[in-house]
């Protein structure tokens, strides 16, 4: 497998349990040195011990992706941990499907803005030819959006300020109690639609550096979020994420499940 310094390196967010931890296990089996990050330091360090008892090719760093100071701390410490990143897996996320406004705002702040900010902070460390995987969801398909909203998200000229403005318009409609009447789905769906849109934008921006980025749907998985009735095991869901990290070099800006491109 080579020494730690010459192995490809990945950083996985939300890696102390569930999909994030299993994705880390599978990537390690493929030869990656893994940096696991999570909000819960105790569970995160325990996950590293379970993943790699010898401590050679798995590292841990605390990271709350909804906290910019926490993101800055990871970016500051990263050069002392590894020489570069070859793969970033934005897995951390929370769910909100009900009418609770505070929970909806937290979901957007974490799943969209948090993943966006982590990516921006770590991009300087991603090597040319590196990869980014955004862990999305089938609930991020445009079909969940109201008819008038869909073309605004799928506009090929959509840029980052315009996307941020769209997401903020959802938050404004939510505050006014008009989100449903305007055609917005659940906060979780909005966050994942926005993540998929960001993936397409970043694919254009990162093309000169030959960094590929794709969104991946792991399917409905039996995790704390997915619940015990989900039809996929954590191992199968994580395999979809890993396959998304192993796509051909010219595959970028797409939406995938089990290594196959799916409609957005």
């Amino acid at each position: 497998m080579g020494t730690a310094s010459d192995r490809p390196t990945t950083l996985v967010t939300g890696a102390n349990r569930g999909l994030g931890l299993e994705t880390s296990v599978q990537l390690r089996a493929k030869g990656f040195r893994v940096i696991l990050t999570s909000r819960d330091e105790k569970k995160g360090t325990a996950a590293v011990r379970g993943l790699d008892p010898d401590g050679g090719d798995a590292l841990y760093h605390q990271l709350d992706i909804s906290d910019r100071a926490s993101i800055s701390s990871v970016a500051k410490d990263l050069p002392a941990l590894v020489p570069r990143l070859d793969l970033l897996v934005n897995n951390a996320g929370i769910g909100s499907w009900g009418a609770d406004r505070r929970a909806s705002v937290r979901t957007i702040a974490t799943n969209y803005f948090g993943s966006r900010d982590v990516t921006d902070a770590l991009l300087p460390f991603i090597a040319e030819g590196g990869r980014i995987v955004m862990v999305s969801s089938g609930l991020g398909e445009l079909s969940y959006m109201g008819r008038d909203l869909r073309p605004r998200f799928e506009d090929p000229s959509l840029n980052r300020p315009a996307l941020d403005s769209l997401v903020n318009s959802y938050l404004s409609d939510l505050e006014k109690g008009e989100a449903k009447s305007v055609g917005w789905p659940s906060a979780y769906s909005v966050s994942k639609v926005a993540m998929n849109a960001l993936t397409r934008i970043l694919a254009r921006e990162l093309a000169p550096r030959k960094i590929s980025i794709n969104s991946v749907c792991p399917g409905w998985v039996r995790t704390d979020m997915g619940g015990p009735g989900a039809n996929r095991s954590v191992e199968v869901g994580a395999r979809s994420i890993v396959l998304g990290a192993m796509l051909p070099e010219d595959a970028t800006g797409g939406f995938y499940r089990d290594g196959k491109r799916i409609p957005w």
Side-chain angles (χ1 to χ4, degrees):
M1 191 179 283
T3 64
S5 61
D6 63 18
R7 294 176 200 159
T9 301
T10 181
L11 185 146
V12 182
T13 67
N16 63 310
R17 62 182 180 177
L19 276 173
L21 179 56
E22 178 60 27
T23 297
S24 299
V25 169
Q26 293 187 22
L27 287 171
R28 178 177 176 270
K30 289 187 175 294
F32 279 84
R33 191 181 191 198
V34 184
I35 303 173
L36 294 83
T37 69
S38 72
R39 288 185 299 178
D40 191 323
E41 182 173 8
K42 186 175 181 180
K43 290 183 179 178
T45 51
V48 168
R49 287 195 296 271
L51 177 65
D52 179 29
D54 298 325
D57 54 0
L59 304 167
Y60 174 75
H61 198 295
Q62 192 162 8
L63 172 61
D64 179 351
I65 71 167
S66 64
D67 181 343
R68 289 197 175 188
S70 181
I71 295 171
S72 296
S73 176
V74 171
K76 179 182 176 182
D77 294 344
L78 197 60
L81 296 174
V82 292
R84 69 185 184 283
L85 283 181
D86 300 282
L87 170 65
L88 169 62
V89 180
N90 280 307
N91 165 75
I94 59 176
S96 175
W97 294 269
D100 186 300
R101 293 184 189 178
R102 285 183 295 180
S104 296
V105 170
R106 284 197 303 272
T107 296
I108 296 296
T110 302
N111 297 1
Y112 172 65
F113 288 114
S115 296
R116 180 202 66 180
D117 292 346
V118 167
T119 302
D120 286 345
L122 299 186
L123 269 174
F125 305 102
I126 298 177
E128 182 171 316
R131 300 176 181 223
I132 301 170
V133 173
M134 309 290 260
V135 180
S136 186
S137 166
L139 292 173
E141 294 179 11
L142 280 169
S143 59
Y144 286 93
M145 284 283 176
R147 186 171 299 176
D148 293 337
L149 291 168
R150 289 176 209 167
R152 299 176 67 186
F153 279 95
E154 64 183 347
D155 182 350
S157 66
L158 184 68
N159 57 28
R160 292 179 56 156
L163 176 57
D164 287 351
S165 179
L166 270 174
V167 174
N168 284 322
S169 71
Y170 161 70
L171 294 174
S172 176
D173 289 337
L174 183 71
E175 184 63 30
K176 292 183 288 186
E178 299 174 357
K180 189 172 183 180
S181 63
V182 173
W184 294 106
S186 69
Y188 185 78
S189 282
V190 173
S191 73
K192 296 303 186 179
V193 168
M195 174 182 276
N196 290 351
L198 179 63
T199 295
R200 299 208 305 176
I201 293 168
L202 283 171
R204 298 196 304 265
E205 292 182 358
L206 298 175
R209 290 178 58 190
K210 297 181 173 60
I211 294 175
S212 63
I213 176 170
N214 291 287
S215 292
V216 170
C217 170
W220 185 24
V221 181
R222 292 188 292 275
T223 59
D224 289 349
M225 186 186 299
N231 60 5
R232 283 191 161 201
S233 68
V234 172
E235 291 77 11
V236 171
R239 179 176 176 272
S240 186
I241 297 170
V242 172
L243 286 171
M246 304 297 167
L247 292 167
E249 291 181 4
D250 60 350
T252 189
F255 189 25
Y256 290 83
R257 183 187 296 120
D258 299 330
K260 298 177 182 178
R261 191 155 184 162
I262 58 175
W264 179 38

